[in-house]
Amino acid sequence: MDKKQAWIAMVEERSHHYLNLGDGGFDENMKVRLLECNYEEQSITYGFETQKWQINEKGGIHGGAIAGMFDTAFGVVANFTAGPNEATTTDMNISFLRGVEMGMDVGLKVYIVKAGRSLIRLRAELFDRANGKLLASASGSWMPL
């Protein structure tokens, strides 16, 4: 198995592991699924299903639920990027560009910017899978434990 195939296999295995812990926790309730991974651009794309519990008083998806989408995807990527260790969030910044509506099928593409020994830098874009429009973007840092 070459380096690319090993990376893709690791992304698939670790994504499945972290998103299906069977603990009923937050990440599991986000109903996230791996859509694709791109070794050349060091990106992993996850799909999120909008859900009734995520709505705000106007019927759109709550900003905190959108932040949770980013944190879930970032956390999975940071944890497998950290190797045998797990990683913890040190900072995360989000820019909300458009509203996310109930019923939207959204994609969240995470890019590994820098995979250092003491800090992992990631950035991501949330988009509407139906039309490709950018909904939000985020960046952050994770510290391997």
Side-chain angles (χ1 to χ4, degrees):
M1 183 181 303
D2 69 9
K3 191 173 182 178
K4 178 180 178 177
Q5 290 171 323
W7 185 83
I8 291 169
M10 186 260 312
V11 168
E12 291 171 346
E13 188 276 324
R14 299 315 291 163
S15 292
H16 178 76
H17 168 76
Y18 282 111
L19 298 173
N20 297 287
L21 292 173
D23 61 1
F26 186 84
D27 292 342
E28 188 176 312
N29 284 298
M30 292 300 286
K31 298 191 191 238
V32 58
R33 63 204 180 279
L34 176 65
L35 297 178
E36 68 177 311
C37 51
N38 186 312
Y39 177 77
E40 286 75 19
E41 66 180 24
Q42 292 288 287
S43 69
I44 301 93
T45 305
Y46 295 99
F48 287 84
E49 174 185 319
T50 55
Q51 302 172 68
K52 183 82 171 159
W53 68 267
Q54 297 170 326
I55 62 172
N56 61 24
E57 70 281 356
K58 294 183 179 179
I61 301 303
H62 192 282
I66 295 168
M69 291 176 190
F70 279 107
D71 197 36
T72 293
F74 277 148
V76 172
V77 173
N79 278 323
F80 68 68
T81 302
N85 301 317
E86 292 198 353
T88 188
T89 309
T90 59
D91 69 85
M92 184 172 67
N93 299 293
I94 302 171
S95 295
F96 299 95
L97 306 171
R98 289 184 172 87
V100 178
E101 301 302 323
M102 183 65 197
M104 273 186 173
D105 183 20
V106 296
L108 199 152
K109 188 171 192 174
V110 178
Y111 297 88
I112 301 169
V113 175
K114 174 90 169 108
R117 288 183 310 202
S118 61
L119 208 58
I120 298 165
R121 296 278 302 152
L122 304 171
R123 70 179 178 85
E125 297 173 340
L126 182 72
F127 59 94
D128 182 343
R129 292 189 65 215
N131 60 25
K133 286 188 179 182
L134 185 62
L135 304 168
S137 62
S139 62
S141 302
W142 281 258
M143 181 177 55
L145 301 174

